Amino acid sequence: MSLMTRCTVFAFVAATSALMVSSAIAQTSNAPKETAIDLKTSRVYVLVDKKRLGHAHAVEGNLKSGKLTLDAKSGAGQIVFDMTSFAADTESARKYVGLEGQTDASTQKKVGDNMLGSDVLDVETFPTATFDVESSLATGKRSAKGHSLYELKGKFTLHGTAIH
């Protein structure tokens, strides 16, 4: 059985509604260069800018599938986001993206329902989004656990619209 890479993906929504995606992959030294992303331990964390929605929100979600080739200058893989799993202002998401304080369950549900609804993510029509990874290059930095970090560049597709 091959080792899996844990993937943490950051997506930032800018005030202009453009979506820019950058990622960091933690890899153990003995992990293979080409690897499937471990869907059980991987999470997506999104910081939604306060200019867009009145105040900042943190979002946490799961990946549906993903495969990466590390240290690739082209054709490095694809990550598929399970948009239906996205939850707003969870304690772990707020901590991960650096937002202070907590959000009560009622507000989390209200924000989450709005986010997943037809006016924003419309997960009923678009249950997934994809990130076609064009390159995955080592940053030369290490995670807190000592893993090598990688920067992913590519094309993010949301609602059928690709953003580079």
Side-chain angles (χ1 to χ4, degrees):
M1 182 164 110
S2 66
L3 294 175
M4 303 259 185
T5 299
R6 285 180 289 153
C7 176
T8 303
V9 179
F10 302 94
F12 298 93
V13 179
T16 61
S17 299
L19 188 62
M20 303 179 332
V21 177
S22 64
S23 304
I25 304 299
Q27 179 188 26
T28 58
S29 60
N30 59 353
K33 290 289 184 184
E34 181 177 295
T35 185
I37 294 172
D38 185 348
L39 303 178
K40 290 182 182 178
T41 60
S42 297
R43 295 295 173 269
V44 178
Y45 294 98
V46 181
L47 173 62
V48 180
D49 188 13
K50 65 183 177 180
K51 294 177 186 172
R52 175 81 170 123
L53 297 176
H55 59 278
H57 293 282
V59 177
E60 178 177 1
N62 298 321
L63 299 176
K64 187 169 182 99
S65 65
K67 193 169 194 175
L68 292 172
T69 301
L70 299 178
D71 289 321
K73 292 183 180 179
S74 65
Q78 185 182 65
I79 300 170
V80 179
F81 300 87
D82 178 3
M83 303 304 285
T84 65
S85 72
F86 280 32
D89 291 318
T90 63
E91 184 177 340
S92 57
R94 291 184 66 81
K95 180 178 178 182
Y96 202 93
V97 302
L99 292 179
E100 294 182 5
Q102 295 181 344
T103 304
D104 64 82
S106 173
T107 302
Q108 285 179 8
K109 181 172 178 9
K110 182 179 174 183
V111 172
D113 288 348
N114 184 58
M115 171 186 68
L116 298 174
S118 61
D119 289 338
V120 183
L121 292 177
D122 192 8
V123 299
E124 191 171 305
T125 305
F126 302 99
T128 62
T130 59
F131 183 52
D132 293 307
V133 185
E134 294 170 0
S135 67
S136 62
L137 301 175
T139 64
K141 297 177 183 179
R142 298 251 176 215
S143 72
K145 294 184 178 182
H147 302 294
S148 297
L149 296 177
Y150 291 79
E151 180 180 6
L152 306 182
K153 293 183 180 179
K155 178 178 67 174
F156 184 74
T157 302
L158 179 67
H159 289 187
T161 301
I163 303 165
H164 263 101

